[in-house]
Amino acid sequence: MGQFEEIQNIIKNLSPVFKTEVIDLSKAFGRILQEDIFADGDMPPFHKSAVDGFACHSEDLANELEVQETIQAGAVPAKTVGKNQCSKIMTGAMIPAGCDCVFMVEDAEMTGENNVKCTNLNTRKNICYQGEDYKTGEILIHKGTIVNVSQMAVLAGVGKTKVRVSALPKIALIATGSELLEPHEKPQPGKIRNSNSSQLISQLQKMNFNVNYIGLANDNFKELTRLFTETLKNHDIVIFTGGASVGDFDFIPEILKQQGFEIFWNRTGMKPGNPMTFSKKGDKYVFGLSGNPVSSLVQFELIAKPVLYQLSGTEYHPMRIKVPLSFDFKQRKADRLILIPVTINNNGEVESIPFNGSAHINSLVFASALMEVQPGQTEINRGENVYVRPL
């Protein structure tokens, strides 16, 4: 088993540390449910028409029918439909008692002011039956689900105006590196703008997680230790970018050891993004991500995001799809899982984009997915399927 697979097993065995809170439905999107959601009634709550048409008894379809009334959506039928009778009905309206068929307006021929005949004797029933979507008491959404767009509709549909969810962790972000400047500053020789923080903040916001950006920290062991200690007091999770490798000024692993943190790993088995730390002390957690933008993006998507979800009370299952390759891929070294920024073309194929390595931030502008190349794979032929992870 490779290092990346070992990390995934560690993540699955992390104990969740979340608290819960009750929030308004309007704020539930992207949050993690901590209760099962049950149906408070049948859906549909009554037999309803699936089309605009005429409700009748199927045994009368071949006969001329007398129209009793017009039933609009939201109304209750006022008249009984008897032999050789029907009611004009709108989509979503309640079916009159006893009717077992609705033929479409397109299949109707008016033979008089209040008379109609069906021109398609093979019509479907065109009825949505009570409870066919779900029945009273049925579990509709399970505890631990990340609420998406469709689930917002289901929550509203069962009248769940207050929802119990995982409380958001208090997350702090610190960017390390004496070479860094904030985006509004113009770099002088030897300096570069801090792009990682904006990227990571956006990735956290996409998860609906809040983050407190602490700012930049120079590569100074004493200063970094002081800043880390102060930040840790008021946060559950601290994320560093930069300083996680083995260079002379990469201090994060040493600071964590001195502070008594248990380090779960310091290598990911991925390229880009191999140097990375994750550690724990009590109920505090620390990520040390790469300072290179592509590396930190990959580390967050494949490792930090699953960890954050696991700690918050849900298992994260990222989308991985198999797509044919539009080019021949070759490499010499195949000792790690490789993630390559790519795009999906109009033919549904993986298409390469310019990518010069972990510092090539511009490549991400054109990327719509990350292509996986498994350890041991030195070549993949055009037309073969590869796994990609949509971004």
Side-chain angles (χ1 to χ4, degrees):
M1 182 182 294
Q3 177 67 17
F4 178 75
E5 287 74 19
E6 289 180 9
I7 288 174
Q8 299 307 307
N9 286 334
I10 292 172
I11 293 172
K12 291 176 183 177
N13 290 311
L14 290 174
S15 298
V17 294
F18 64 92
K19 297 177 182 178
T20 66
E21 62 181 350
V22 176
I23 61 172
D24 291 338
L25 171 62
S26 61
K27 299 178 181 177
F29 178 72
R31 300 295 294 271
I32 301 167
L33 279 178
Q34 291 305 332
E35 60 174 324
D36 291 328
I37 303 300
F38 296 89
D40 67 339
D42 293 345
M43 182 56 64
F46 46 81
H47 299 333
K48 67 177 185 177
S49 179
V51 297
D52 293 335
F54 295 85
C56 66
H57 304 283
S58 56
E59 63 190 36
D60 297 332
L61 275 174
N63 305 329
E64 184 178 65
L65 305 176
E66 179 187 2
V67 181
Q68 298 298 294
E69 63 175 329
T70 297
I71 309 168
Q72 66 184 63
V76 176
K79 295 185 178 181
T80 301
V81 176
K83 178 71 175 174
N84 291 331
Q85 293 179 333
C86 68
S87 288
K88 191 172 185 179
I89 192 167
M90 303 296 111
T91 302
M94 181 183 290
I95 300 291
C99 291
D100 64 350
C101 179
V102 178
F103 60 91
M104 300 170 61
V105 169
E106 293 88 338
D107 295 332
E109 178 186 342
M110 299 304 298
T111 56
E113 185 176 347
N114 288 312
N115 296 90
V116 67
K117 195 167 185 179
C118 177
T119 60
N120 177 16
L121 300 184
N122 294 317
T123 179
R124 295 182 177 183
K125 297 291 186 180
N126 295 317
I127 295 175
C128 301
Y129 294 97
Q130 180 175 341
E132 73 175 16
D133 291 346
Y134 55 77
K135 297 186 182 300
T136 303
E138 186 178 336
I139 294 182
L140 303 181
I141 312 176
H142 288 275
K143 177 180 178 180
T145 298
I146 303 168
V147 178
N148 64 22
V149 173
S150 300
Q151 288 150 355
M152 286 293 291
V154 172
L155 289 168
V158 299
K160 194 68 178 175
T161 58
K162 299 288 184 180
V163 187
R164 182 167 294 280
V165 297
S166 301
L168 295 173
K170 295 178 180 178
I171 302 174
L173 174 62
I174 301 172
T176 72
S178 299
E179 77 280 12
L180 296 179
L181 299 173
E182 293 293 15
H184 66 275
E185 300 178 271
K186 186 166 181 63
Q188 301 301 315
K191 303 288 186 178
I192 59 171
R193 290 190 177 98
N194 170 29
S195 59
N196 267 11
S197 294
S198 296
Q199 177 176 277
L200 284 165
I201 290 169
S202 298
Q203 287 174 286
L204 286 160
Q205 288 174 339
K206 194 173 179 180
M207 297 173 66
N208 211 13
F209 281 17
N210 299 321
V211 57
N212 180 18
Y213 175 53
I214 304 301
L216 301 177
N218 290 324
D219 292 321
N220 179 289
F221 188 87
K222 186 175 180 180
E223 178 185 336
L224 203 52
T225 301
R226 179 196 61 77
L227 182 61
F228 173 58
T229 303
E230 287 299 312
T231 301
L232 201 61
K233 291 178 183 177
N234 302 313
H235 297 87
D236 306 308
I237 297 165
V238 177
I239 301 175
F240 286 100
T241 67
S245 190
V246 292
D248 291 348
F249 297 97
D250 292 323
F251 298 129
I252 303 303
E254 184 59 33
I255 291 174
L256 294 172
K257 289 178 184 177
Q258 287 196 5
Q259 296 280 329
F261 276 76
E262 174 191 0
I263 297 179
F264 289 90
W265 62 77
N266 53 28
R267 290 288 184 273
T268 66
M270 300 188 304
K271 180 182 178 180
N274 196 32
M276 172 194 175
T277 62
F278 174 65
S279 58
K280 171 189 177 183
K281 181 181 178 182
D283 58 356
K284 306 282 187 175
Y285 295 84
V286 179
F287 294 94
L289 305 184
S290 172
N292 287 321
V294 180
S295 292
S296 67
L297 180 138
V298 170
Q299 290 169 342
F300 186 92
E301 290 296 323
L302 274 75
I303 295 179
K305 182 186 286 188
V307 169
L308 291 171
Y309 276 136
Q310 178 72 18
L311 296 177
S312 298
T314 186
E315 288 187 15
Y316 175 59
H317 301 285
M319 180 180 289
R320 296 169 69 230
I321 56 177
K322 276 191 170 182
V323 182
L325 205 59
S326 69
F327 59 96
D328 292 324
F329 174 84
K330 291 185 179 181
Q331 63 174 358
R332 293 181 181 178
K333 200 171 182 180
D335 58 338
R336 286 182 273 166
L337 172 66
I338 297 179
L339 287 306
I340 302 173
V342 294
T343 188
I344 308 298
N345 64 27
N346 292 334
N347 295 321
E349 301 171 319
V350 176
E351 191 168 297
S352 65
I353 58 176
F355 179 55
N356 300 325
S358 59
H360 189 186
I361 188 171
N362 251 25
S363 64
L364 299 178
V365 174
F366 307 101
S368 58
L370 295 172
M371 181 180 88
E372 298 181 10
V373 181
Q374 302 301 325
Q377 277 189 304
T378 56
E379 62 180 68
I380 307 172
N381 296 323
R382 178 178 180 176
E384 290 186 41
N385 286 334
V386 293
Y387 274 112
V388 296
R389 296 174 180 245
L391 289 173

Coordinates of all heavy atoms in Angstrom, one line a residue, residues 1-67:
M1 N 0.9 -1.2 0.0 CA 0.0 0.0 0.0 C 0.9 1.2 0.0 O 1.8 1.4 0.8 CB -0.9 0.0 1.2 CG -1.9 1.2 1.3 SD -2.9 1.2 2.8 CE -3.9 -0.3 2.6
G2 N 0.6 2.2 -0.9 CA 1.4 3.4 -1.0 C 1.0 4.4 0.1 O 0.0 4.3 0.8
Q3 N 1.8 5.5 0.2 CA 1.7 6.5 1.2 C 0.3 7.2 1.1 O -0.4 7.4 2.1 CB 2.8 7.5 1.1 CG 2.7 8.7 2.1 CD 2.9 8.2 3.5 OE1 3.4 7.2 3.8 NE2 2.5 9.1 4.5
F4 N -0.1 7.5 -0.1 CA -1.4 8.2 -0.3 C -2.6 7.3 0.2 O -3.5 7.8 0.9 CB -1.6 8.5 -1.7 CG -2.9 9.2 -2.0 CD1 -3.1 10.5 -1.7 CD2 -4.0 8.5 -2.6 CE1 -4.4 11.1 -1.9 CE2 -5.2 9.1 -2.8 CZ -5.4 10.4 -2.5
E5 N -2.5 6.0 -0.1 CA -3.6 5.1 0.4 C -3.6 5.0 1.9 O -4.6 4.9 2.6 CB -3.4 3.7 -0.2 CG -3.8 3.6 -1.7 CD -2.8 4.3 -2.6 OE1 -1.6 4.4 -2.2 OE2 -3.1 4.6 -3.8
E6 N -2.4 4.9 2.5 CA -2.3 4.9 4.0 C -2.9 6.1 4.6 O -3.6 6.0 5.6 CB -0.8 4.7 4.4 CG -0.2 3.4 4.1 CD 1.3 3.3 4.5 OE1 1.8 4.2 5.2 OE2 2.0 2.3 4.1
I7 N -2.7 7.3 4.0 CA -3.2 8.5 4.5 C -4.8 8.4 4.5 O -5.4 8.9 5.4 CB -2.7 9.7 3.7 CG1 -1.2 10.0 4.1 CG2 -3.5 11.0 4.0 CD1 -0.5 11.0 3.3
Q8 N -5.3 7.9 3.4 CA -6.8 7.8 3.3 C -7.3 6.9 4.4 O -8.4 7.2 4.9 CB -7.2 7.3 1.9 CG -6.7 8.2 0.7 CD -7.1 9.6 0.8 OE1 -8.3 9.9 1.0 NE2 -6.2 10.5 0.7
N9 N -6.6 5.9 4.7 CA -7.1 5.0 5.8 C -7.0 5.7 7.2 O -7.9 5.6 8.0 CB -6.3 3.7 5.9 CG -6.6 2.8 4.7 OD1 -7.7 2.8 4.2 ND2 -5.7 1.9 4.3
I10 N -6.0 6.5 7.4 CA -5.8 7.3 8.6 C -7.0 8.3 8.7 O -7.6 8.4 9.8 CB -4.5 8.0 8.6 CG1 -3.3 7.1 8.7 CG2 -4.5 9.0 9.8 CD1 -2.0 7.7 8.6
I11 N -7.3 8.9 7.6 CA -8.4 9.9 7.6 C -9.7 9.2 8.0 O -10.5 9.8 8.8 CB -8.6 10.6 6.2 CG1 -7.3 11.4 5.9 CG2 -9.8 11.4 6.1 CD1 -7.3 12.0 4.5
K12 N -10.0 8.1 7.5 CA -11.3 7.4 7.7 C -11.4 7.0 9.2 O -12.5 6.8 9.8 CB -11.4 6.1 6.9 CG -11.6 6.4 5.4 CD -11.6 5.1 4.6 CE -11.8 5.4 3.1 NZ -11.7 4.2 2.3
N13 N -10.3 6.8 9.9 CA -10.3 6.4 11.3 C -10.1 7.6 12.3 O -10.1 7.4 13.5 CB -9.1 5.4 11.6 CG -9.4 4.1 10.9 OD1 -10.5 3.5 11.0 ND2 -8.4 3.6 10.2
L14 N -10.1 8.8 11.8 CA -10.1 10.0 12.6 C -11.4 10.1 13.4 O -12.5 9.9 12.8 CB -9.8 11.3 11.8 CG -8.4 11.4 11.3 CD1 -8.4 12.7 10.4 CD2 -7.4 11.6 12.4
S15 N -11.4 10.4 14.6 CA -12.6 10.6 15.4 C -13.2 12.0 15.2 O -12.5 13.0 15.4 CB -12.3 10.4 16.9 OG -11.9 9.1 17.1
P16 N -14.4 12.1 14.8 CA -15.1 13.4 14.6 C -15.0 14.2 15.9 O -15.2 13.6 17.0 CB -16.5 13.1 14.2 CG -16.4 11.7 13.6 CD -15.3 11.0 14.4
V17 N -14.9 15.5 15.8 CA -14.8 16.4 17.0 C -15.8 17.5 17.0 O -15.7 18.4 17.8 CB -13.3 16.9 17.2 CG1 -12.3 15.8 17.4 CG2 -13.0 17.8 15.9
F18 N -16.8 17.4 16.2 CA -17.7 18.6 16.0 C -18.7 18.7 17.1 O -19.0 17.7 17.8 CB -18.5 18.4 14.7 CG -19.4 17.2 14.7 CD1 -20.7 17.2 15.1 CD2 -18.8 15.9 14.3 CE1 -21.5 16.1 15.1 CE2 -19.7 14.8 14.3 CZ -21.0 14.9 14.7
K19 N -19.2 19.9 17.3 CA -20.4 20.2 18.1 C -21.5 20.4 17.1 O -21.3 20.4 15.9 CB -20.2 21.4 19.0 CG -19.1 21.2 20.0 CD -18.9 22.5 20.8 CE -17.8 22.4 21.8 NZ -17.5 23.6 22.6
T20 N -22.8 20.5 17.6 CA -23.9 20.8 16.7 C -24.6 22.1 17.0 O -24.4 22.6 18.1 CB -24.9 19.6 16.7 OG1 -25.5 19.6 18.0 CG2 -24.3 18.3 16.4
E21 N -25.3 22.6 16.1 CA -26.1 23.7 16.3 C -27.4 23.7 15.4 O -27.4 22.9 14.4 CB -25.3 25.0 15.9 CG -24.8 25.1 14.5 CD -24.0 26.4 14.2 OE1 -24.0 27.3 15.1 OE2 -23.4 26.5 13.2
V22 N -28.4 24.4 15.7 CA -29.6 24.4 14.9 C -29.6 25.8 14.2 O -29.5 26.8 14.8 CB -30.9 24.3 15.8 CG1 -32.1 24.4 15.0 CG2 -30.8 22.9 16.5
I23 N -29.8 25.7 12.9 CA -29.8 26.9 12.0 C -31.1 27.0 11.2 O -31.8 26.0 11.1 CB -28.5 26.9 11.1 CG1 -28.6 25.7 10.2 CG2 -27.2 27.0 11.9 CD1 -27.5 25.8 9.1
D24 N -31.3 28.2 10.6 CA -32.4 28.3 9.7 C -32.2 27.6 8.4 O -31.0 27.5 8.0 CB -32.6 29.8 9.4 CG -33.2 30.6 10.6 OD1 -33.7 30.0 11.5 OD2 -33.0 31.8 10.7
L25 N -33.2 27.1 7.8 CA -33.2 26.4 6.5 C -32.4 27.3 5.5 O -31.6 26.8 4.7 CB -34.6 26.1 6.0 CG -34.7 25.6 4.6 CD1 -33.9 24.3 4.4 CD2 -36.1 25.4 4.2
S26 N -32.6 28.6 5.5 CA -32.0 29.5 4.5 C -30.4 29.4 4.6 O -29.8 29.8 3.7 CB -32.5 30.9 4.7 OG -32.1 31.4 6.0
K27 N -29.9 28.9 5.7 CA -28.4 28.9 5.9 C -27.9 27.5 5.8 O -26.7 27.3 6.1 CB -28.1 29.5 7.2 CG -28.5 31.0 7.3 CD -28.1 31.6 8.7 CE -28.5 33.0 8.8 NZ -28.3 33.6 10.2
A28 N -28.7 26.5 5.4 CA -28.3 25.1 5.5 C -27.5 24.6 4.3 O -26.8 23.6 4.4 CB -29.6 24.2 5.6
F29 N -27.5 25.4 3.2 CA -26.7 24.9 2.0 C -25.3 24.7 2.3 O -24.6 25.6 2.9 CB -26.9 25.9 0.9 CG -26.1 25.5 -0.4 CD1 -26.5 24.4 -1.1 CD2 -25.0 26.1 -0.7 CE1 -25.8 24.0 -2.2 CE2 -24.2 25.7 -1.8 CZ -24.7 24.7 -2.6
G30 N -24.7 23.6 2.0 CA -23.3 23.3 2.2 C -23.0 22.8 3.6 O -21.8 22.4 3.8
R31 N -23.9 22.8 4.5 CA -23.7 22.4 5.9 C -23.9 20.9 6.0 O -24.4 20.2 5.1 CB -24.6 23.2 6.9 CG -24.4 24.7 6.8 CD -23.0 25.1 7.3 NE -22.8 24.8 8.7 CZ -23.2 25.7 9.7 NH1 -23.7 26.8 9.4 NH2 -22.9 25.3 11.0
I32 N -23.4 20.3 7.1 CA -23.4 18.9 7.3 C -24.6 18.5 8.3 O -24.6 19.0 9.5 CB -22.1 18.4 7.9 CG1 -21.0 18.7 6.9 CG2 -22.1 16.9 8.1 CD1 -19.6 18.5 7.5
L33 N -25.6 17.8 7.8 CA -26.7 17.4 8.6 C -26.3 16.5 9.8 O -25.5 15.6 9.6 CB -27.7 16.7 7.8 CG -28.7 17.5 6.9 CD1 -29.6 16.5 6.2 CD2 -29.5 18.4 7.8
Q34 N -26.9 16.8 11.0 CA -26.6 15.9 12.1 C -28.0 15.4 12.7 O -28.1 15.2 13.9 CB -25.8 16.6 13.2 CG -24.4 16.9 12.7 CD -23.6 15.6 12.3 OE1 -24.0 14.5 12.8 NE2 -22.7 15.7 11.4
E35 N -28.9 15.2 11.8 CA -30.1 14.5 12.1 C -30.7 13.9 10.8 O -30.4 14.3 9.7 CB -31.2 15.5 12.7 CG -31.5 16.6 11.7 CD -32.6 17.5 12.2 OE1 -33.5 17.0 12.9 OE2 -32.6 18.7 12.0
D36 N -31.4 12.8 11.0 CA -32.1 12.2 9.9 C -33.3 13.1 9.5 O -34.0 13.6 10.4 CB -32.6 10.8 10.2 CG -31.4 9.8 10.3 OD1 -30.4 10.0 9.6 OD2 -31.6 8.8 11.0
I37 N -33.6 13.2 8.3 CA -34.8 14.0 7.8 C -35.9 13.0 7.4 O -35.7 12.2 6.5 CB -34.4 15.0 6.7 CG1 -33.3 15.9 7.1 CG2 -35.6 15.8 6.3 CD1 -33.6 16.7 8.3
F38 N -37.1 13.1 8.0 CA -38.2 12.3 7.7 C -39.3 13.0 7.0 O -39.5 14.2 7.1 CB -38.8 11.7 9.0 CG -37.8 10.8 9.8 CD1 -37.0 11.4 10.8 CD2 -37.8 9.5 9.6 CE1 -36.1 10.6 11.5 CE2 -36.9 8.7 10.3 CZ -36.1 9.2 11.3
A39 N -40.0 12.2 6.2 CA -41.2 12.8 5.5 C -42.3 13.0 6.5 O -42.7 12.1 7.2 CB -41.6 11.8 4.4
D40 N -42.9 14.2 6.4 CA -44.0 14.5 7.3 C -45.4 14.3 6.7 O -46.4 14.6 7.2 CB -43.9 16.0 7.9 CG -44.1 17.0 6.8 OD1 -43.9 16.7 5.6 OD2 -44.5 18.2 7.1
G41 N -45.3 13.7 5.5 CA -46.5 13.4 4.7 C -46.2 12.7 3.4 O -45.0 12.5 3.1
D42 N -47.2 12.2 2.8 CA -47.0 11.6 1.5 C -46.6 12.6 0.4 O -47.1 13.8 0.5 CB -48.2 10.8 1.0 CG -48.6 9.6 1.9 OD1 -47.7 9.2 2.6 OD2 -49.7 9.1 1.8
M43 N -45.8 12.2 -0.6 CA -45.5 13.1 -1.7 C -45.7 12.2 -3.0 O -44.9 11.3 -3.1 CB -44.2 13.7 -1.6 CG -43.8 14.6 -2.7 SD -45.0 16.0 -3.0 CE -44.8 16.9 -1.4
P44 N -46.5 12.6 -3.9 CA -47.5 13.7 -3.8 C -48.5 13.4 -2.7 O -48.8 12.2 -2.3 CB -48.2 13.7 -5.2 CG -47.3 12.9 -6.1 CD -46.6 11.9 -5.2
P45 N -49.1 14.4 -2.1 CA -50.1 14.3 -1.0 C -51.5 13.8 -1.5 O -52.3 13.5 -0.7 CB -50.2 15.7 -0.4 CG -49.8 16.6 -1.5 CD -48.8 15.9 -2.4
F46 N -51.6 13.7 -2.8 CA -52.9 13.3 -3.4 C -52.6 12.8 -4.8 O -51.5 13.1 -5.4 CB -54.0 14.4 -3.4 CG -53.4 15.7 -3.9 CD1 -53.3 16.0 -5.3 CD2 -53.0 16.7 -3.0 CE1 -52.8 17.2 -5.7 CE2 -52.5 17.9 -3.5 CZ -52.4 18.2 -4.8
H47 N -53.5 12.1 -5.4 CA -53.3 11.7 -6.9 C -53.4 13.0 -7.7 O -54.4 13.8 -7.5 CB -54.4 10.8 -7.3 CG -54.5 9.5 -6.6 ND1 -53.3 8.9 -6.0 CD2 -55.5 8.6 -6.4 CE1 -53.6 7.8 -5.5 NE2 -55.0 7.5 -5.7
K48 N -52.4 13.3 -8.5 CA -52.5 14.6 -9.3 C -52.2 14.3 -10.7 O -51.5 13.3 -11.1 CB -51.5 15.6 -8.7 CG -50.0 15.2 -8.9 CD -49.1 16.3 -8.3 CE -47.6 15.9 -8.6 NZ -46.7 17.0 -8.1
S49 N -52.6 15.2 -11.5 CA -52.4 15.1 -13.0 C -51.0 15.4 -13.4 O -50.4 16.4 -12.9 CB -53.4 16.0 -13.7 OG -53.2 15.9 -15.1
A50 N -50.4 14.6 -14.3 CA -49.1 14.8 -14.8 C -49.1 15.7 -16.0 O -48.0 16.2 -16.5 CB -48.4 13.5 -15.1
V51 N -50.3 16.0 -16.5 CA -50.3 16.8 -17.8 C -51.6 17.7 -17.7 O -52.4 17.6 -16.9 CB -50.5 15.8 -19.0 CG1 -49.2 15.0 -19.2 CG2 -51.7 15.0 -18.9
D52 N -51.6 18.6 -18.7 CA -52.9 19.3 -19.0 C -53.7 18.4 -19.8 O -53.3 18.0 -20.9 CB -52.6 20.6 -19.7 CG -51.9 21.7 -18.9 OD1 -51.9 21.6 -17.6 OD2 -51.2 22.5 -19.5
G53 N -55.0 18.1 -19.4 CA -55.8 17.2 -20.2 C -57.2 17.1 -19.6 O -57.8 18.0 -19.0
F54 N -57.7 15.8 -19.7 CA -59.1 15.5 -19.2 C -59.0 14.3 -18.4 O -58.6 13.2 -18.9 CB -60.0 15.4 -20.5 CG -60.2 16.6 -21.3 CD1 -59.2 17.0 -22.2 CD2 -61.2 17.5 -21.0 CE1 -59.4 18.1 -23.0 CE2 -61.4 18.7 -21.8 CZ -60.5 19.0 -22.7
A55 N -59.5 14.4 -17.2 CA -59.6 13.2 -16.3 C -60.9 12.5 -16.5 O -62.0 13.1 -16.5 CB -59.5 13.7 -14.8
C56 N -60.8 11.2 -16.6 CA -62.0 10.4 -16.9 C -61.8 8.9 -16.4 O -60.7 8.6 -15.8 CB -62.3 10.4 -18.4 SG -61.0 9.5 -19.4
H57 N -62.7 8.1 -16.7 CA -62.6 6.6 -16.4 C -62.1 6.0 -17.7 O -62.6 6.2 -18.8 CB -63.9 6.0 -16.1 CG -64.6 6.7 -14.9 ND1 -64.2 6.5 -13.6 CD2 -65.6 7.6 -14.8 CE1 -64.9 7.2 -12.8 NE2 -65.8 7.9 -13.5
S58 N -61.0 5.2 -17.6 CA -60.4 4.6 -18.8 C -61.4 3.8 -19.6 O -61.2 3.7 -20.9 CB -59.2 3.8 -18.4 OG -59.5 2.8 -17.5
E59 N -62.4 3.2 -19.0 CA -63.4 2.4 -19.7 C -64.2 3.3 -20.7 O -64.9 2.7 -21.6 CB -64.3 1.7 -18.7 CG -65.1 2.6 -17.9 CD -65.8 1.8 -16.7 OE1 -65.2 0.9 -16.2 OE2 -66.9 2.2 -16.4
D60 N -64.2 4.6 -20.5 CA -65.0 5.5 -21.3 C -64.2 6.2 -22.4 O -64.7 7.1 -23.1 CB -65.6 6.6 -20.4 CG -66.6 6.0 -19.4 OD1 -67.2 4.9 -19.7 OD2 -66.8 6.6 -18.3
L61 N -62.9 5.9 -22.5 CA -62.0 6.6 -23.5 C -62.5 6.6 -24.9 O -62.3 7.6 -25.6 CB -60.6 6.0 -23.4 CG -59.7 6.4 -22.3 CD1 -58.4 5.6 -22.4 CD2 -59.4 7.9 -22.5
A62 N -63.2 5.6 -25.3 CA -63.7 5.5 -26.7 C -64.9 6.3 -27.0 O -65.4 6.5 -28.1 CB -63.8 4.1 -27.2
N63 N -65.5 6.8 -25.9 CA -66.8 7.5 -26.0 C -66.7 9.0 -26.0 O -65.7 9.5 -25.6 CB -67.7 7.0 -24.8 CG -67.9 5.5 -24.8 OD1 -67.8 4.8 -25.8 ND2 -68.1 5.0 -23.6
E64 N -67.8 9.7 -26.5 CA -67.8 11.1 -26.3 C -68.1 11.4 -24.8 O -69.0 10.8 -24.2 CB -68.9 11.7 -27.2 CG -69.0 13.2 -27.2 CD -70.1 13.7 -28.1 OE1 -71.3 13.4 -27.8 OE2 -69.8 14.4 -29.1
L65 N -67.3 12.4 -24.3 CA -67.4 12.7 -22.8 C -67.9 14.1 -22.6 O -67.6 15.0 -23.3 CB -66.0 12.5 -22.2 CG -65.3 11.2 -22.4 CD1 -63.9 11.2 -21.8 CD2 -66.1 10.0 -21.8
E66 N -68.8 14.2 -21.6 CA -69.3 15.5 -21.2 C -68.3 16.1 -20.1 O -68.0 15.5 -19.1 CB -70.7 15.3 -20.6 CG -71.3 16.6 -20.1 CD -72.6 16.4 -19.3 OE1 -73.0 15.2 -19.1 OE2 -73.2 17.4 -18.9
V67 N -67.9 17.3 -20.4 CA -66.9 18.0 -19.5 C -67.7 18.6 -18.3 O -68.6 19.5 -18.5 CB -66.2 19.1 -20.2 CG1 -65.2 19.8 -19.3 CG2 -65.4 18.5 -21.4

